[in-house]
Amino acid sequence: QVQLVESGGGLVQAGDSLRLSCAASGRTNGYVWGWFRQAPGKEREFVSAIRGIGGSTYYGDPVKGRFTISRDYAKSTLYLQMNNLNPADTAVYFCAAQRDAVMADPTNKALYGYWGRGTQVTVSS
Protein backbone atom coordinates (compact mmCIF):
# COMPACT_ATOMS: atom_id res chain seq x y z
CA GLN A 1 0.00 0.00 0.00
CA VAL A 2 1.23 3.48 -0.89
CA GLN A 3 0.10 6.70 0.77
CA LEU A 4 0.76 10.10 -0.75
CA VAL A 5 0.58 13.54 0.85
CA GLU A 6 1.07 16.70 -1.18
CA SER A 7 2.25 20.06 0.15
CA GLY A 8 3.67 23.34 -1.06
CA GLY A 9 0.66 24.90 -2.71
CA GLY A 10 -0.37 28.48 -2.17
CA LEU A 11 -1.32 31.83 -3.63
CA VAL A 12 1.27 33.46 -5.87
CA GLN A 13 1.42 36.11 -8.57
CA ALA A 14 1.96 35.54 -12.26
CA GLY A 15 5.63 34.98 -12.99
CA ASP A 16 6.36 33.54 -9.54
CA SER A 17 7.64 30.06 -8.72
CA LEU A 18 6.47 27.30 -6.39
CA ARG A 19 7.78 23.88 -5.50
CA LEU A 20 5.28 21.17 -4.70
CA SER A 21 6.22 18.13 -2.66
CA CYS A 22 4.64 14.71 -2.40
CA ALA A 23 5.70 12.58 0.54
CA ALA A 24 5.25 8.86 -0.04
CA SER A 25 4.97 6.11 2.53
CA GLY A 26 4.85 2.40 2.03
CA ARG A 27 6.62 0.49 -0.70
CA THR A 28 7.82 3.09 -3.20
CA ASN A 29 10.58 1.47 -5.24
CA GLY A 30 9.82 0.60 -8.84
CA TYR A 31 6.89 2.98 -9.17
CA VAL A 32 5.93 5.60 -11.71
CA TRP A 33 5.20 8.95 -10.05
CA GLY A 34 2.99 11.56 -11.58
CA TRP A 35 1.52 15.01 -11.09
CA PHE A 36 -1.94 15.88 -12.32
CA ARG A 37 -4.05 18.99 -11.86
CA GLN A 38 -7.71 19.83 -11.90
CA ALA A 39 -9.18 23.29 -12.34
CA PRO A 40 -12.81 24.05 -11.39
CA GLY A 41 -15.20 22.64 -13.95
CA LYS A 42 -12.46 20.86 -15.88
CA GLU A 43 -11.21 17.32 -16.09
CA ARG A 44 -8.08 16.27 -14.28
CA GLU A 45 -5.17 16.73 -16.65
CA PHE A 46 -1.68 15.32 -16.86
CA VAL A 47 1.16 17.60 -15.76
CA SER A 48 4.29 15.48 -15.42
CA ALA A 49 5.58 12.02 -14.55
CA ILE A 50 8.82 10.22 -13.80
CA ARG A 51 9.52 6.53 -14.07
CA GLY A 52 11.03 4.78 -11.08
CA ILE A 53 12.86 2.44 -13.45
CA GLY A 54 15.14 4.37 -15.78
CA GLY A 55 14.06 7.82 -14.64
CA SER A 56 12.38 8.91 -17.88
CA THR A 57 10.37 12.09 -17.48
CA TYR A 58 7.22 13.28 -19.22
CA TYR A 59 5.54 16.68 -19.39
CA GLY A 60 2.21 17.98 -20.58
CA ASP A 61 2.43 20.56 -23.35
CA PRO A 62 1.16 23.49 -21.20
CA VAL A 63 4.03 23.10 -18.72
CA LYS A 64 6.97 22.10 -20.90
CA GLY A 65 9.94 24.34 -20.30
CA ARG A 66 8.47 25.77 -17.09
CA PHE A 67 7.95 22.79 -14.76
CA THR A 68 10.51 20.22 -13.63
CA ILE A 69 9.76 16.92 -11.92
CA SER A 70 12.27 15.24 -9.65
CA ARG A 71 12.47 12.54 -7.04
CA ASP A 72 14.49 12.19 -3.83
CA TYR A 73 14.61 8.44 -3.26
CA ALA A 74 16.27 8.77 0.15
CA LYS A 75 13.38 10.92 1.38
CA SER A 76 10.69 9.09 -0.61
CA THR A 77 9.56 12.47 -1.87
CA LEU A 78 8.45 13.65 -5.29
CA TYR A 79 8.83 17.28 -6.30
CA LEU A 80 7.41 19.57 -8.93
CA GLN A 81 9.30 22.80 -9.47
CA MET A 82 6.99 25.28 -11.16
CA ASN A 83 8.47 28.42 -12.68
CA ASN A 84 6.93 31.36 -14.52
CA LEU A 85 3.47 30.52 -13.25
CA ASN A 86 0.44 32.03 -14.94
CA PRO A 87 -3.28 32.13 -14.03
CA ALA A 88 -3.97 29.13 -16.29
CA ASP A 89 -1.91 27.03 -13.86
CA THR A 90 -4.47 27.61 -11.11
CA ALA A 91 -5.76 24.21 -10.01
CA VAL A 92 -5.63 21.55 -7.36
CA TYR A 93 -2.47 19.54 -7.94
CA PHE A 94 -2.48 15.81 -7.22
CA CYS A 95 0.33 13.36 -6.78
CA ALA A 96 -0.19 9.83 -8.12
CA ALA A 97 1.71 6.55 -8.25
CA GLN A 98 1.55 3.15 -9.89
CA ARG A 99 3.90 0.21 -10.22
CA ASP A 100 6.22 0.81 -13.14
CA ALA A 101 5.91 -2.79 -14.35
CA VAL A 102 2.21 -2.30 -15.19
CA MET A 103 2.31 1.32 -16.34
CA ALA A 104 1.88 1.48 -20.11
CA ASP A 105 1.26 5.22 -20.35
CA PRO A 106 2.41 7.56 -17.55
CA THR A 107 0.27 10.37 -18.95
CA ASN A 108 -2.98 8.43 -18.47
CA LYS A 109 -4.64 9.22 -15.15
CA ALA A 110 -6.85 6.13 -15.35
CA LEU A 111 -3.80 3.89 -14.96
CA TYR A 112 -2.71 5.25 -11.59
CA GLY A 113 -3.81 3.33 -8.53
CA TYR A 114 -2.67 5.63 -5.75
CA TRP A 115 -3.56 9.29 -5.28
CA GLY A 116 -2.98 12.03 -2.78
CA ARG A 117 -5.67 14.47 -1.70
CA GLY A 118 -4.18 17.41 -3.55
CA THR A 119 -2.80 20.85 -2.84
CA GLN A 120 -4.28 24.10 -4.12
CA VAL A 121 -2.23 26.38 -6.36
CA THR A 122 -3.69 29.77 -7.17
CA VAL A 123 -1.95 32.19 -9.51
CA SER A 124 -3.20 35.76 -9.63
CA SER A 125 -2.67 38.06 -12.59
Side-chain angles (χ1 to χ4, degrees), residues 3-44:
Q3 294 182 329
L4 307 172
V5 179
E6 303 94 335
S7 62
L11 173 63
V12 297
Q13 293 185 333
D16 286 350
S17 298
L18 271 179
R19 187 177 79 159
L20 304 183
S21 299
C22 172
S25 61
R27 181 171 181 170
T28 60
N29 291 332
Y31 276 67
V32 176
W33 302 91
W35 287 101
F36 291 78
R37 67 186 183 185
Q38 188 166 16
K42 295 187 177 181
E43 290 193 3
R44 193 168 299 189

